[in-house]
Amino acid sequence: MGRSFAAALSEHPDFAVATGDVVGRVLEALGDPESPPDLAMLFVTPVHAPVIAEIVKTINATLRPTTLLGCAAVSVVGGEREVERGPGISLWAGRTGPVSPFHLTVAQSPDGLTFTGWPESIPDDASALLLLPDPFTFPTDDLLRRMEEDRPGLPVVGGMASAARAPGGNRLVIDERVVTAGAVGAFLGPDVEVTTVVSQGCRPVGSPFVVTRAEHNIVYELAGRSAVERLQEVAAGLTDEDRELLADLVQIGRVIDESKLDFGPGDFLVRGVVGADPNSGALRVGDIVDVGSTAQFQVRDANTADQELRKMVDGRSADSALVFTCNGRGTHLFPEPDHDAMVVSESLSGAPVAGMFCAGELGPIGGHNFMHGFTASVVLLSVRA
């Protein structure tokens, strides 16, 4: 009797050997070759990007997934491992029930941006939208806003391809095709239960403030005083260690669910403070900030990121997981390698885990979908009974 999900990772430098290795182990774990997986996900490191079409051909011929999605990424996740340097192929497959795949591209029209390439039919009872965009050619934020209007409450999960630093360098996989622009993805149907975890690795410091004056992404006043003064006030009250963290990377979180009385990690959408004007006392934030919303300054460090992710996945149960973690995490953040993969894999008692390091992660906070940075966005999947 085979499993509903399987995953395998190979670090062999020869792509043909590595592909045969991961396909063989996934087939063995799934069992029943007469029942191929509904969905397979492929993640390869940059060294394998030039031959990804050959890898795709082998997977389709041997594993025979109904839908194959994937991309090249700066680093890949497989089981308890994160391959940050050198060759890596991570393959995941699941009997998820029918999915609706697509390759989206975007064009400018008189009515604004037009997304083309949607599947012929989108299930009304879809459990999630899985999305792998190219950061250079696809306006992900615009799509998230469109989905908020058309399908409110539907989780959008995944991450941005991260193997290239310029347009045309990334590789996206959709079934037999390899493309270099747009976004690939699929609507997951009702047969698979999807739970999401978005760990931003931050903790609030100081006190929360009501935004009393702001325009677009410029925050002028917090609780009646200039935003710069409030930042200085918070910094003055911190420990030396937290003050140093705040100085290294000033961040602010805005509360998503204003009905709450107490706020902690997981209640904020965290964005960087990207500029300050000492003359006006304003802060420029990487997000639109509304007057009347609640905001609080945040710090990030390895210990906070570790504790938050562990707390958010502790006690969760799932048959498998896809991990979309930031390319600024891994050994760039944690003192030991394999951190996010290890935490997720251990929490699921070794259930199949695969994923990649992203140039931006997708996942919901407070019931609304956002693109994030420095997060671990974890997609927990289980077959419905």
Side-chain angles (χ1 to χ4, degrees):
M1 182 69 178
R3 300 177 180 177
S4 296
F5 299 94
L9 171 73
S10 177
E11 297 179 63
H12 198 285
D14 186 308
F15 81 90
V17 174
T19 305
D21 180 22
V22 294
V23 170
R25 285 190 282 142
V26 166
L27 279 170
E28 182 180 7
L30 288 176
D32 190 5
E34 300 305 314
S35 178
D38 301 292
L39 175 64
M41 301 289 295
L42 170 67
F43 308 102
V44 306
T45 54
V47 69
H48 291 311
V51 293
I52 195 170
E54 293 299 315
I55 297 171
V56 166
K57 187 182 298 183
T58 300
I59 292 172
N60 280 317
T62 52
L63 185 61
R64 297 183 297 116
T66 305
T67 294
L68 175 61
L69 300 176
C71 67
V74 65
S75 306
V76 299
V77 173
E80 297 182 346
R81 289 276 293 119
E82 296 174 2
V83 181
E84 295 190 59
R85 297 168 185 85
I89 297 179
S90 181
L91 179 65
W92 176 97
R95 295 190 176 102
T96 59
V99 304
S100 303
F102 55 81
H103 171 218
L104 290 182
T105 56
V106 65
Q108 192 71 41
S109 73
D111 298 325
L113 292 178
T114 300
F115 295 96
T116 59
W118 291 108
E120 290 185 5
S121 62
I122 299 173
D124 292 333
D125 50 0
S127 57
L129 170 57
L130 181 61
L131 191 69
L132 304 177
D134 171 56
F136 301 106
T137 61
F138 192 79
T140 303
D141 280 332
D142 291 285
L143 180 70
L144 293 179
R145 284 190 287 269
R146 183 73 56 85
M147 292 301 300
E148 188 81 9
E149 297 172 0
D150 296 345
R151 299 295 295 270
L154 180 70
V156 179
V157 294
M160 307 278 253
S162 59
R165 297 184 178 180
N170 279 312
R171 299 290 182 271
L172 307 175
V173 175
I174 173 73
D175 294 329
E176 298 86 9
R177 294 187 296 137
V178 176
V179 298
T180 60
V184 299
F187 288 90
L188 306 183
D191 293 344
V192 62
E193 182 179 355
V194 176
T195 305
T196 60
V197 168
V198 178
S199 174
Q200 298 179 94
C202 289
R203 57 184 166 86
V205 293
S207 302
F209 301 109
V210 174
V211 178
T212 49
R213 185 180 168 219
E215 186 175 346
H216 301 297
N217 68 327
I218 307 297
V219 180
Y220 292 98
E221 290 184 0
L222 295 170
R225 289 176 55 188
S226 81
V228 168
E229 287 181 2
R230 289 298 189 190
L231 175 58
Q232 294 168 339
E233 173 189 311
V234 167
L238 299 180
T239 64
D240 291 342
E241 182 180 357
D242 280 355
R243 192 179 300 114
E244 186 174 334
L245 291 173
L246 189 65
D248 287 342
L249 185 64
V250 181
Q251 296 179 102
I252 194 166
R254 64 178 177 89
V255 173
I256 299 301
D257 184 359
E258 292 279 0
S259 65
K260 286 192 172 185
L261 298 178
D262 298 311
F263 310 120
D267 294 323
F268 297 92
L269 175 66
V270 179
R271 292 291 188 254
V273 174
V274 295
D277 183 351
N279 294 322
S280 66
L283 297 176
R284 185 157 56 94
V285 180
D287 191 24
I288 303 300
V289 181
D290 295 326
V291 172
S293 60
T294 303
Q296 192 166 0
F297 292 105
Q298 311 272 324
V299 296
R300 174 185 285 116
D301 62 354
N303 186 53
T304 297
D306 172 69
Q307 291 181 358
E308 186 191 37
L309 180 59
R310 290 182 186 277
K311 181 180 179 181
M312 295 183 85
V313 299
D314 184 46
R316 304 269 187 173
S317 61
D319 297 330
S320 184
L322 294 168
V323 176
F324 300 95
T325 190
C326 180
N327 55 21
R329 290 171 70 100
T331 53
H332 296 288
L333 177 62
F334 300 104
E336 301 293 334
D338 309 320
H339 178 273
D340 291 345
M342 186 81 71
V343 170
V344 174
S345 185
E346 288 179 350
S347 74
L348 299 181
S349 302
V353 172
M356 68 174 191
F357 282 41
C358 309
E361 308 77 56
L362 305 175
I365 292 179
H368 301 277
N369 295 302
F370 299 99
M371 184 164 61
H372 308 278
F374 291 100
T375 66
S377 182
V378 183
V379 187
L380 303 172
L381 303 109
S382 298
V383 175
R384 295 189 191 274

